[in-house]
Amino acid sequence: MKVGIICLQHETNTFLSRMTGIEQFEENMLLDGPDMAPIMSQHLHEVGGFFRGLQSARIEAVGLLAARALPYGMIKRSALDALCERIRAALQAAPPLDGLLLAPHGAAAAEHAPDADGFWMQQVRDIVGPEMPLIATADPHGNWSPAMHQAVNAVISYRTNPHVDQVERGLEAAALMARTLRGEVRPVMASAWPPMLMSIDRQCTEESPCLEFGKRMDEVRALPGILSASLFLGFPYADVPEMGSSIVVVADGDPQLAARQADLLAQELWGQRQEFTCHLPSVAEAVKQAADAPGPVCLLDVGDNVGGGSPADGTILLQALADAGQKRAFVCLFDPESAEQAAAIGSGGIGSFSLGGKTDNLHGAPLEGRFEVHSLHDGVFEETEVRHGGIRQFNQGRTAILHGMGLTIMLTSLRTPPFSLQQMLHFGLQPESFQVIVAKGVNAPIAAYAPVCKTMIRVDTPGVCTANVDHLEFKHRRKPMFPFEPETPWNS
């Protein structure tokens, strides 16, 4: 038996003015068939789980396409069309396949396809026909849609946020595919869409209320006849009709069982909706807390969350720390212009810099000051531990580390999310030497930084990833929807 593998992943922030082109996929990951196995089988990613799981089941894995870009703005039509054409060509050139394992993200949006994942997954279904089993994994930050539901026989979302179980979910999907092809099970799926949005700061699966709800999901997974159950937390920064939380249950040949359990879980989630609303300190409150708390303190810059598509050059927390006189703080900024300036000055040199704040006016003005260029680097490093996203190889481009105003500022030439502590350690920075470490994220950096930071504080910073979604101008979301319309009625 042969099973094809397709991965196309992008978390799209539609509130960002800049767009995602094919070059962003080429920059991050764009692999065709033969190149996939040697690279992806080593990654701590669900596609690595696909390859390993199929090998264990003695099924031949046929790599077709692996494409991923870092979260950013709307995908250009030309980029999605080019990727879909590559998928079509790969399917046409492939040997006869018995099934397909798909790895969408679930929150991709394009100019001409607001539900970009549903768009390409439906195209795959149209090409292979209704009989071939299609089993997907997906990020729980996906906005699970009816189109995605119709395209596949089953979906399995990651269970952790930060996402540290991607390999396990890939193995689970491969095992379900093997059982399906052998006739041992017949997956049937039901989805439920309560009209609610879960605040991004309440989506950590190791904290209440997600922790308790995750245990409830485990109870359903353990029921006789249930093959899987998935909670989609939802991605608030994609202004599309599908945006919001959802439940998916997969049963063995019993659609009524799947529907009954999906509805029960959705009703329970809806009943807890008030617990999933935003609770964050202001910038001033967080900076004061950080000065008094046991250090190192990780300040999570929610509004400039790189993993949510933000520019990564926000200066609001940086400026607040400077104004408060914090002398032991670390901040990483995406600022290729300043990184080039630092390289021109050279290590040990001093110059006047205008740091960050170059993408837009939402994330703070540039920080002006004189800084010493402490060191220069090529920006390449590796993460060996299981961390959010399963990424092992990082390249943040030309990198400069500056000292000044009591601050340590890392400048990168490529947007790089703070998913790895090696972003500090590899470049000679010791976390324990800082009172404050700013990580531009909300939940994802916790896997990397919690082992060294005694205190974690999410901060209500403005920006395209603000936790206060009332500050964002939605034009396409469902209405009514909680918490935008607090009195929203719903009965599944």
Side-chain angles (χ1 to χ4, degrees):
M1 290 186 288
K2 294 180 175 63
V3 170
I5 297 174
I6 300 171
C7 171
L8 200 173
Q9 297 183 331
H10 188 256
E11 190 173 62
T12 306
N13 189 316
T14 62
F15 296 98
L16 193 67
S17 58
R18 301 186 181 184
M19 301 185 73
T20 300
I22 194 68
E23 62 274 12
Q24 273 76 42
F25 287 91
E26 292 169 343
E27 184 179 279
N28 189 256
M29 184 176 72
L30 187 54
L31 303 171
D32 289 306
D35 298 326
M36 285 177 61
I39 295 175
M40 296 304 297
S41 60
Q42 304 304 313
H43 274 248
L44 304 173
H45 184 276
E46 63 263 42
V47 174
F50 290 168
F51 278 106
R52 293 176 219 175
L54 292 175
Q55 183 180 33
S56 296
R58 298 184 178 180
I59 295 173
E60 182 180 344
V62 180
L64 299 174
L65 179 72
R68 179 180 64 195
L70 284 180
Y72 204 44
M74 186 81 79
I75 302 172
K76 294 179 181 178
R77 178 176 189 140
S78 58
L80 184 59
D81 285 350
L83 292 168
C84 287
E85 181 53 40
R86 289 174 85 135
I87 291 172
R88 180 179 297 276
L91 284 168
Q92 290 174 343
L97 299 173
D98 299 285
L100 282 171
L101 288 170
L102 308 181
H105 179 281
E111 286 182 285
H112 61 311
D115 176 16
D117 288 303
F119 179 81
W120 74 260
M121 291 164 70
Q122 284 284 358
Q123 288 197 10
V124 169
R125 173 56 78 189
D126 291 343
I127 292 169
V128 302
E131 301 304 320
M132 182 182 291
L134 270 59
I135 296 175
T137 54
D139 192 304
H141 287 113
N143 297 313
W144 182 249
S145 72
M148 296 182 221
H149 175 102
Q150 293 166 11
V152 298
N153 300 84
V155 68
I156 299 169
S157 74
Y158 321 150
R159 300 180 190 177
T160 60
N161 185 31
H163 309 324
V164 293
D165 67 328
Q166 289 170 259
V167 171
E168 288 84 353
R169 301 289 76 78
L171 290 168
E172 182 182 350
L176 181 57
M177 176 63 76
R179 295 180 67 196
T180 301
L181 293 178
R182 291 170 182 153
E184 298 171 10
V185 294
R186 183 171 65 87
V188 292
M189 184 170 58
S191 298
W193 290 276
M196 63 176 283
L197 172 63
M198 188 185 296
S199 181
I200 198 75
D201 66 299
R202 309 294 279 174
Q203 294 189 8
C204 179
T205 55
E206 294 302 310
E207 302 172 8
S208 293
C210 272
L211 177 62
E212 291 78 13
F213 199 84
K215 293 177 181 177
R216 178 71 182 98
M217 298 289 296
D218 285 338
E219 292 175 1
V220 172
R221 294 180 185 113
L223 292 175
I226 297 296
L227 298 175
S228 75
S230 297
L231 167 64
F232 283 89
L233 307 164
F235 184 62
Y237 311 115
D239 183 14
V240 297
E242 296 81 10
M243 186 268 288
S245 304
S246 55
I247 298 286
V248 182
V249 174
V250 182
D252 183 7
D254 188 341
Q256 287 76 28
L257 174 63
R260 185 164 61 250
Q261 292 301 322
D263 286 344
L264 283 172
L265 287 170
Q267 288 170 9
E268 292 176 32
L269 187 66
W270 176 250
Q272 299 175 32
R273 62 192 179 280
Q274 293 287 352
E275 300 176 37
F276 289 98
T277 54
C278 178
H279 302 279
L280 291 179
S282 68
V283 171
E285 291 168 339
V287 169
K288 185 177 185 306
Q289 290 176 24
D292 299 333
V297 176
C298 183
L299 290 182
L300 292 153
D301 188 351
V302 174
D304 194 22
N305 171 14
V306 187
S310 73
D313 68 348
T315 59
I316 290 172
L317 265 180
L318 176 59
Q319 186 68 63
L321 290 166
D323 292 345
Q326 175 57 249
K327 300 300 182 185
R328 292 192 298 128
F330 168 80
V331 181
C332 180
L333 294 175
F334 166 61
D335 190 342
E337 178 184 317
S338 295
E340 289 295 332
Q341 179 187 351
I345 293 171
S347 295
I350 297 174
S352 295
F353 287 84
S354 179
L355 301 175
K358 294 181 171 67
T359 301
D360 54 38
N361 297 320
L362 298 175
H363 302 85
L367 177 71
E368 310 286 346
R370 289 183 64 77
F371 293 85
E372 176 193 359
V373 180
H374 174 70
S375 57
L376 298 166
H377 310 271
D378 64 7
V380 176
F381 61 96
E382 182 177 355
E383 174 59 71
T384 59
E385 301 295 324
V386 178
R387 295 294 182 248
H388 180 95
I391 303 170
R392 297 192 66 176
Q393 306 295 330
F394 289 81
N395 181 5
Q396 57 189 28
R398 183 190 293 276
T399 296
I401 298 174
L402 308 184
H403 289 329
M405 302 168 63
L407 306 169
T408 297
I409 301 173
M410 174 180 283
L411 305 174
T412 73
S413 299
L414 297 173
R415 289 171 62 250
T416 306
F419 293 171
S420 171
L421 196 60
Q422 291 300 320
Q423 191 174 35
M424 297 182 71
L425 297 174
H426 181 81
F427 303 109
L429 299 174
Q430 300 303 315
E432 60 271 15
S433 67
F434 298 98
Q435 172 64 19
V436 177
I437 296 171
V438 174
K440 292 183 175 295
V442 54
N443 297 308
I446 292 173
Y449 286 85
V452 298
C453 290
K454 296 179 181 178
T455 309
M456 310 288 291
I457 302 174
R458 297 181 180 89
V459 190
D460 185 15
T461 47
V464 294
C465 291
T466 174
N468 274 313
V469 290
D470 285 338
H471 296 170
L472 300 172
E473 185 181 357
F474 288 88
K475 298 178 180 178
H476 306 292
R477 66 170 177 84
R478 287 175 285 167
K479 292 183 180 180
M481 186 179 199
F482 180 87
F484 301 100
E485 291 81 34
E487 303 305 317
T488 299
W490 184 67
N491 189 331
S492 64

